[in-house]
């Protein structure tokens, strides 16, 4: 390996690490701030709010007596509440014994059950709130497809076309364009179009109805590359267009999909067009477990590219309430998909390799950052939902485990015994460490 290759690999590793730390820091900061601010609202004081662990590299004390700090190891964070023995919680019995009843009320140990429960639950809920807020912003930024359906901008494609920005599309191949309210109707319409490199588009241009030639609506265009996929490893980028597949001319994304799905994992030869130049790539499709609309999963082969239509449609701003509701549904969809995937991994319906560890998450962070700011911000929202969900699992040492203890206290009138708590925390810690080792093993050895 020469110096240039070593420098390139080191630069890529540094890029990945930087954006992994950025993503993790944002998510941890929001999670811990949820604990902090709801605790404060509930009358529980915090001694320390730390982003990171280990030696402190910056800190300041606020007027409430909370020390805000940044530590050297940026792989987590914590809030140490008044009366806690350490960053993980626990009781500082010596300090608590010297406090008055009024002072005890401002500790996590002496606060009412409702205040403790709200403070614990706030971390995951703030993660969900971050996801919803980010998705809402993305939906508002992207807008929604305007009606009537028109060409907003043209893509760079290796085919001459007569469509122009602002053309209102009335018909394609003589078939009137349906509305977008019913996804099934729209999907059936697209499937009904003939497989041809060029199709006749009936458009309205400057008030004049005319027929012009345009590309197949869904060409073999790369609009997004999935991180850690065959396409990503081969260096494909958004904006690339596939010219041929195994030597056969390609003009429809469905052609690529059919060849890849039928490959059974055999290599696929592609000729790719990028900015007027062509090059050859060979990639091996990877087996992927994908969710089915009716539930469950199916095993398919994928190379990891997302397609799109041949031009950018004209858009209009989305109503903030509609965007927020879409953000809620997107977040809930991630929760549902995660729980379904976990269930099917446990029962053996899908591969456990679908569970990524820190290396896989870091690689995805860098990959999404390399595709642009919006992709990276969206990834943070997805990861924030996953972190919030994980923390709600009823495992001791996680927020969900503490909520179970609080539920026990609400039912019985007293918290679990110290012995029971210690045993449960030991079991919970063992489970979490085991899961981390298993996920790390997946990162290292799964294909």
């Amino acid at each position: 390996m020469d110096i240039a290759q070593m420098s390139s690999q080191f630069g890529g590793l540094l890029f990945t690490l930087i954006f992994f730390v950025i993503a993790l820091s944002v998510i941890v900061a929001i999670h811990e701030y949820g604990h902090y601010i709801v605790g404060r609202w509930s009358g529980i004081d915090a001694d320390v709010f730390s982003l990171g662990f280990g030696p402190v590299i910056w800190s300041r004390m606020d007027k409430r007596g909370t020390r805000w700090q940044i530590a050297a190891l940026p792989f987590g964070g914590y809030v140490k509440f008044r009366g806690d023995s350490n960053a993980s919680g626990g009781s500082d019995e010596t300090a608590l014994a010297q406090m008055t009843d009024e002072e005890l009320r401002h500790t996590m140990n002496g606060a009412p059950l409702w205040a403790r429960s709200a403070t614990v639950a706030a971390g995951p809920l703030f993660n969900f709130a971050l996801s919803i807020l980010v998705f809402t912003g993305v939906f508002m930024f992207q807008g929604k497809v305007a009606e009537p359906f028109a060409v907003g901008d043209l893509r760079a494609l290796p085919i001459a076309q007569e469509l122009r920005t602002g053309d209102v599309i009335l018909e394609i191949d003589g078939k009137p364009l349906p509305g977008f309210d019913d996804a099934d109707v729209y999907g059936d319409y697209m499937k009904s179009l003939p497989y041809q490199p060029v199709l006749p588009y009936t458009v309205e241009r400057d008030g004049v109805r005319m027929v012009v030639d345009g590309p197949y609506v869904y060409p073999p265009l790369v609009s997004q590359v999935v991180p850690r996929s065959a396409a990503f490893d081969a260096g494909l980028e958004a904006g690339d267009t596939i010219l041929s597949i195994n030597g056969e001319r390609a003009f429809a994304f469905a052609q690529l999909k059919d060849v890849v799905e039928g490959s059974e994992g055999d290599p696929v030869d592609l000729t790719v067009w990028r900015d007027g130049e062509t090059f050859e790539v060979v990639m091996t499709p990877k087996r992927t477990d994908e969710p089915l609309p009716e539930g469950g999963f199916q095993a398919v082969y994928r190379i990891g590219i997302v397609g799109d239509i041949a031009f950018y449609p004209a858009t209009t701003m989305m109503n903030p309430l509609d965007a927020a509701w879409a953000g809620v549904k997107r977040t809930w969809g991630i929760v549902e998909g995660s729980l379904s995937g976990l269930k099917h991994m446990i029962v053996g319906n899908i591969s456990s390799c679908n569970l990524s560890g820190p290396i896989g998450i870091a690689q995805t962070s860098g990959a999404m950052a390399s595709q642009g700011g919006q992709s990276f911000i969206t990834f943070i929202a997805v990861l924030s939902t996953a972190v919030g969900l994980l923390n709600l699992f009823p495992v001791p040492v996680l927020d969900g485990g503490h909520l179970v203890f609080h539920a026990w206290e609400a039912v019985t009138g007293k918290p679990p015994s110290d012995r029971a708590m210690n045993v449960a925390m030991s079991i919970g810690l063992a489970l979490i460490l085991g899961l981390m080792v298993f996920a790390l093993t997946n990162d290292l050895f799964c294909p």
Side-chain angles (χ1 to χ4, degrees):
M1 180 181 295
D2 59 28
I3 294 178
Q5 288 177 312
M6 291 176 63
S7 176
S8 176
Q9 288 190 6
F10 177 76
L13 177 61
L14 183 62
F15 179 87
T16 295
L17 184 60
I18 287 173
F19 281 97
F20 174 57
V21 169
I22 291 174
L24 187 62
S25 297
V26 169
I27 292 168
V28 168
I30 291 296
H31 181 94
E32 297 302 331
Y33 186 76
H35 289 314
Y36 164 78
I37 193 64
V38 172
R40 199 180 89 183
W41 292 340
S42 304
I44 303 173
D45 295 334
D47 289 334
V48 180
F49 185 107
S50 181
L51 190 59
F53 298 97
V56 176
I57 58 179
W58 175 89
S59 72
R60 75 171 182 87
M61 185 77 74
D62 69 14
K63 62 183 180 180
R64 296 178 179 273
T66 301
R67 179 173 297 282
W68 298 75
Q69 65 184 39
I70 298 176
L73 301 176
F75 300 107
Y78 62 89
V79 177
K80 181 179 177 294
F81 288 104
R82 191 73 42 83
D84 288 352
S85 59
N86 53 53
S88 301
S91 302
D92 186 345
E93 298 297 342
T94 302
L96 293 172
Q98 298 173 358
M99 293 182 183
T100 65
D101 289 344
E102 182 179 352
E103 290 172 331
L104 282 172
R105 171 59 183 84
H106 294 287
T107 69
M108 179 64 89
N109 295 277
L113 180 60
W114 68 265
R116 287 179 279 138
S117 299
T119 301
V120 170
L125 293 180
F126 266 56
N127 282 131
F128 296 142
L130 171 64
S131 300
I132 293 170
L133 183 63
V134 169
F135 288 136
T136 298
V138 169
F139 286 130
M140 290 190 65
F141 176 78
Q142 290 178 336
K144 63 179 181 179
V145 177
E147 293 186 12
F149 186 65
V151 178
D153 201 0
L154 299 174
R155 296 183 188 270
L157 294 174
I159 182 173
Q161 56 175 307
E162 299 174 356
L163 290 171
R164 297 290 180 268
T165 299
D167 285 351
V168 176
I169 298 178
L170 306 175
E171 299 176 352
I172 303 176
D173 194 46
K175 301 179 177 67
L177 199 70
F180 296 93
D181 296 335
D182 191 325
D184 292 335
V185 171
Y186 178 75
D188 292 340
Y189 174 83
M190 290 301 171
K191 292 177 183 177
S192 72
L193 298 176
Y195 270 10
Q196 296 175 191
V198 178
L199 293 173
Y201 287 70
T202 302
V203 303
E204 183 179 303
R205 180 183 299 170
D206 299 326
V208 179
R209 185 185 177 103
M210 62 182 67
V211 178
V212 298
D213 287 337
Y216 186 79
V217 184
Y218 278 93
L221 169 74
V222 180
S223 69
Q224 184 178 346
V225 181
V226 178
R228 305 174 67 200
S229 65
F232 185 83
D233 294 340
L236 263 62
E237 300 176 359
D240 291 347
T241 302
I242 312 301
L243 295 181
S244 68
I245 310 165
N246 291 335
E248 297 292 330
R249 181 186 180 189
F251 58 85
F253 193 86
Q255 292 174 287
L256 177 62
K257 183 173 180 288
D258 291 341
V259 170
V260 170
E261 288 182 351
S263 68
E264 295 297 322
D266 293 334
V268 176
D269 299 323
L270 302 179
T271 302
V272 183
W273 180 91
R274 178 187 297 168
D275 298 329
E277 298 182 357
T278 62
F279 57 93
E280 309 290 326
V281 295
V282 179
M283 60 186 70
T284 302
K286 297 182 179 180
R287 186 180 182 276
T288 304
D289 296 305
E290 293 185 351
L292 294 167
E294 63 275 13
F297 287 77
Q298 64 175 349
V300 292
Y301 285 94
R302 294 283 184 257
I303 58 173
I305 65 173
V306 179
D308 209 336
I309 63 175
F311 50 84
Y312 297 100
T315 59
T316 184
M317 176 170 277
M318 200 171 189
N319 180 290
L321 291 179
D322 291 339
W325 180 237
V328 171
K329 291 194 293 184
R330 176 72 180 276
T331 301
W332 179 246
I334 295 170
V335 170
E336 283 189 317
S338 299
L339 291 175
S340 176
L342 181 60
K343 170 190 170 184
H344 284 279
M345 274 191 282
I346 291 173
V347 300
N349 290 338
I350 62 175
S351 171
S352 60
C353 285
N354 287 281
L355 180 66
S356 295
I359 295 177
I361 296 172
Q363 290 174 335
T364 304
S365 299
M368 297 304 285
S370 69
Q371 297 186 47
Q374 182 175 318
S375 295
F376 181 63
I377 292 172
T378 301
F379 168 73
I380 290 177
V382 173
L383 187 58
S384 183
T385 301
V387 169
L389 177 62
L390 176 64
N391 271 278
L392 283 178
F393 284 178
V395 178
V397 310
L398 297 179
D399 293 330
H402 288 288
L403 291 175
V404 170
F405 296 149
H406 292 159
W408 173 273
E409 184 177 348
V411 172
T412 64
K414 59 181 180 180
S417 67
D418 290 342
R419 175 180 170 79
M421 289 277 286
N422 290 334
V423 170
M425 296 297 267
S426 298
I427 294 173
L429 183 60
L431 288 173
I432 294 300
L433 290 176
L435 180 63
M436 290 177 61
V437 170
F438 180 74
L440 183 60
T441 302
N442 281 353
D443 289 341
L444 296 174
F445 300 109
C446 280

